[in-house]
Amino acid sequence: MNTSWTTVVPLSTPPWSIIIAHMTREDPQIKLRLPAELKDVLTDAAQENGRSLNAEVVKRLEESVEAGPHGRPVQVDPYTLDLFAEKVGQVLDARDKRRKKP
């Protein structure tokens, strides 16, 4: 039996996710004030996801930080992207034709 505590983590996993899995009571703590309704929603979500309230809040903060300052990037399917590229090409062609006219 392998008793190693080594965990394989995908390369796309942010470094703080690895650290959070090993959080202890000695890690920094903050006091946080939030509306009771929000706490209730987070508590319910934590239970649904099999996490503590703290782990749920940390997970959601991680996702927010990963998304960057402007939120999650928009996901565009390849078909829509092709249509967009085609339209941009048509607009650029039309512009070039207008510029070439004397």
Side-chain angles (χ1 to χ4, degrees), residues 71-101:
R72 295 215 180 273
V74 175
Q75 298 295 320
V76 179
D77 63 277
Y79 177 73
T80 303
L81 191 57
D82 286 344
L83 289 175
F84 179 73
E86 184 178 334
K87 186 63 177 176
V88 168
Q90 291 170 355
V91 169
L92 292 175
D93 288 344
R95 184 190 68 178
D96 288 344
K97 285 180 184 177
R98 283 193 310 271
R99 285 184 177 175
K100 289 179 183 178
K101 284 186 178 180

Side-chain angles (χ1 to χ4, degrees), residues 36-90:
E37 298 83 20
L38 179 56
K39 181 180 180 277
D40 293 341
V41 169
L42 289 168
T43 300
D44 292 343
Q47 288 176 345
E48 289 175 19
N49 294 319
R51 295 192 267 260
S52 67
L53 177 58
N54 185 76
E56 185 69 27
V57 170
V58 169
K59 178 69 174 160
R60 288 170 180 250
L61 286 171
E62 281 179 349
E63 290 171 355
S64 174
V65 170
E66 288 173 17
H70 303 292
R72 295 215 180 273
V74 175
Q75 298 295 320
V76 179
D77 63 277
Y79 177 73
T80 303
L81 191 57
D82 286 344
L83 289 175
F84 179 73
E86 184 178 334
K87 186 63 177 176
V88 168
Q90 291 170 355

